[in-house]
């Protein structure tokens, strides 16, 4: 099916260097975006028209900090269907930060490898509720060697879970498997903050400086934050990306985003939810964190949406998160919630409100219209 999506008040590119496109419409052909621009410049001989009626059109959000187990089930909150709730919150792609809640998880090399392979193979065959789930994030254990990484790579494992959720945080015992992962191009995230679950570790800036992870997970606490002077150390002495999450400390989140704005280093900012966790299932976690960053720290909403889509995709080597010809048609339509302030969804963010998710499309298929977890939109999209 060839689809025209028109009537957007703004089209977010997914690229933080140039967040807005000179466009109010795009064409989707099958699963891919074919054309983007002013509607008057597009070939509008189509099978279907979606008029978004003045809403903001953005790439589907990417949550890089989730803790799935298998598909749409999480034993952490004994919940089935949580990925579908995230999809209704505008999240079209989810990335595992480790299957930490796997029942009976063995904190051994063979246990870590077995869980990573099983979860990776499972997620490769599933689209829970239609969302794209990248599971099977290896939780680093001392003793994992080159042959283990070769076996995991052959089975499709490409992710590392939060370093610090395994059995050891002794740098000399886990340095080798971390470097084996890094040599294969896998992103290395590290748990930073207080202990999150029984068996996890308190991790501060000293360990970040020692092991140099690519991503400092929940720098604002997961859920307990480290002192801000440690964040300043990390900023000054590493190039690690700082992730802020909805399940963390809101005051620390605001200070971290403000500091990165002051330094002009938004390339080092990542958003996530850290969900499912003890904090719960957070289907609006991404949108709420963007709203806090816009309302309390002054982050531009269009830029925030890019940091939560195309920037994450580039970091993890995914082909999603950008609105451009040839890219997958993973899209979210955002509007002012009914009764909300302002004219368009950017105003909602600036006022600290979660915008309405009016429509979600994955690979050209409309999966959500409207969201069941946000207030209704002021202006509903029209499909003809």
């Amino acid at each position: 099916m060839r689809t025209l999506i028109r009537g957007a008040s703004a089209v977010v590119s997914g690229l933080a260097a140039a967040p807005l496109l000179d466009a109010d419409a795009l064409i989707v052909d099958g699963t891919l975006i074919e054309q983007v621009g002013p509607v008057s410049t597009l070939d509008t001989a189509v099978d279907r028209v979606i008029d978004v009626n003045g809403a903001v059109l953005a790439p589907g959000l990417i949550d890089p900090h989730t803790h799935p187990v298998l598909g749409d089930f999480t034993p952490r909150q004994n919940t089935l269907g949580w990925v579908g709730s995230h999809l209704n919150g505008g999240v079209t792609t989810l990335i595992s930060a480790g299957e930490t809640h796997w029942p009976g998880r063995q904190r051994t090399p063979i246990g870590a490898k077995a869980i990573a392979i099983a979860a990776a193979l499972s997620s490769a065959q599933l689209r829970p509720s239609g969302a794209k789930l990248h599971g099977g994030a290896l939780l680093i254990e001392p003793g994992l060697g080159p042959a283990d990484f070769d076996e995991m790579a052959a089975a499709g494992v490409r992710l590392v879970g939060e370093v610090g959720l395994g059995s050891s945080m002794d740098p000399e015992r886990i340095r080798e498997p971390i470097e084996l992962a890094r040599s294969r191009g896998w992103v290395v995230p590290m748990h930073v903050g207080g202990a999150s679950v029984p068996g996890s570790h308190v991790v501060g800036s000293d360990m970040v400086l020692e092991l140099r992870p690519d991503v400092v997970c929940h720098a604002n606490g997961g859920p307990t934050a480290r002192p801000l002077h440690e964040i300043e150390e990390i900023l000054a002495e590493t190039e690690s990306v700082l992730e802020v999450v909805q399940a963390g400390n809101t005051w620390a989140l605001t200070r971290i985003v403000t500091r990165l704005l002051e330094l002009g280093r938004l390339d080092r900012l990542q958003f996530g939810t850290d969900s499912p966790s003890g904090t719960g299932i957070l289907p609006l976690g991404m949108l709420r964190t963007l709203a806090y960053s816009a309302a309390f720290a002054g982050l531009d909403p269009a830029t925030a949406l890019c940091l939560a889509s195309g920037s994450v995709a580039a970091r993890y080597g995914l082909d999603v998160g950008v609105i451009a010809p040839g890219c997958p048609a993973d899209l979210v339509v955002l509007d002012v919630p009914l009764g909300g302030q302002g004219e368009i969804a950017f105003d909602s963010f600036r006022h600290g409100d979660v915008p309405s998710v009016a429509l979600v499309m994955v690979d050209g298929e409309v999966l959500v219209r409207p969201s069941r977890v946000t207030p209704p939109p002021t202006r509903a999209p029209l499909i003809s």
Side-chain angles (χ1 to χ4, degrees):
M1 181 179 291
R2 197 161 181 269
T3 301
L4 167 65
I5 303 177
R6 70 181 183 195
S9 56
V11 179
V12 177
S13 67
L15 303 173
L20 292 175
L21 296 171
D22 180 17
D24 61 6
L26 57 80
I27 300 288
V28 174
D29 190 1
T31 64
L32 302 177
I33 298 169
E34 180 189 279
Q35 303 172 46
V36 184
V39 68
S40 60
T41 67
L42 305 182
D43 175 8
T44 55
V46 295
D47 305 297
R48 175 176 64 174
V49 175
I50 301 176
D51 188 341
V52 300
N53 207 6
V56 171
L57 184 61
L61 304 179
I62 303 172
D63 186 349
H65 195 141
T66 64
H67 288 294
V69 170
L70 287 172
D72 227 354
F73 172 67
T74 170
R76 177 65 165 158
Q77 292 290 343
N78 195 27
T79 298
L80 185 65
W82 71 275
V83 175
S85 295
H86 270 57
L87 184 71
N88 274 261
V91 177
T92 55
T93 298
L94 301 93
I95 302 171
S96 173
E99 281 68 20
T100 57
H101 310 310
W102 191 287
R105 175 166 71 95
Q106 294 291 311
R107 289 176 171 85
T108 61
I110 192 170
K113 182 171 69 171
I115 289 172
I117 290 174
L121 292 174
S122 172
S123 71
Q125 297 297 316
L126 288 174
R127 283 282 187 89
S129 301
K132 298 176 179 179
L133 173 63
H134 297 271
L138 173 69
L139 292 167
I140 293 290
E141 290 291 347
L144 287 165
D148 296 312
F149 279 87
D150 290 342
E151 183 180 359
M152 286 186 284
V157 178
R158 299 287 185 274
L159 297 169
V160 177
E162 292 177 72
V163 176
L165 300 183
S167 63
S168 175
M169 272 304 289
D170 181 347
E172 298 312 312
R173 299 187 68 205
I174 62 175
R175 193 186 307 278
E176 181 183 1
I178 288 174
E179 293 309 317
L180 286 169
R182 184 171 280 132
S183 69
R184 287 162 170 78
W186 300 2
V187 175
V188 178
M190 179 181 285
H191 171 97
V192 172
S196 57
V197 295
S200 64
H201 304 273
V202 177
V203 182
S205 58
D206 56 338
M207 198 62 66
V208 175
L209 301 185
E210 177 76 23
L211 293 172
R212 307 277 168 164
D214 299 303
V215 178
V216 171
C217 291
H218 42 58
N220 64 315
T224 307
R226 299 297 295 162
L228 284 180
H229 72 81
E230 294 193 13
I231 299 301
E232 290 286 358
E233 283 185 281
I234 294 168
L235 284 171
E237 299 186 37
T238 77
E239 282 296 309
S240 299
V241 170
L242 270 60
E243 177 188 80
V244 293
V245 299
Q246 184 63 202
N249 179 314
T250 304
W251 181 84
L253 180 157
T254 303
R255 291 303 309 140
I256 289 167
V257 176
T258 300
R259 187 66 179 130
L260 289 170
L261 277 166
E262 292 170 350
L263 294 172
R265 293 303 309 270
L266 291 180
D267 59 307
R268 296 181 64 180
L269 177 59
Q270 177 169 294
F271 297 102
T273 64
D274 193 5
S275 171
S277 68
T279 306
I281 307 296
L282 301 170
L284 294 180
M286 291 295 288
L287 289 174
R288 287 176 66 84
T289 306
L290 301 187
Y292 292 172
S293 299
F296 299 146
L299 182 60
D300 171 63
T303 301
L305 287 165
C306 293
L307 295 174
S309 54
S311 294
V312 182
R315 188 167 297 123
Y316 285 84
L318 305 180
D319 68 344
V320 294
V322 175
I323 293 182
C327 293
D330 297 354
L331 306 168
V332 59
V333 176
L334 301 172
D335 192 26
V336 176
L338 193 62
Q341 303 176 69
E343 298 298 320
I344 64 173
F346 295 157
D347 298 323
S348 299
F349 283 125
R350 294 188 183 101
H351 285 107
D353 285 332
V354 172
S356 173
V357 175
L359 182 146
V360 179
M361 173 181 283
V362 178
D363 284 343
E365 181 181 357
V366 176
L367 299 180
V368 173
R369 177 187 174 236
S371 169
R372 59 178 169 79
V373 300
T374 67
T378 300
R379 298 153 295 195
L382 303 174
I383 299 180
S384 61

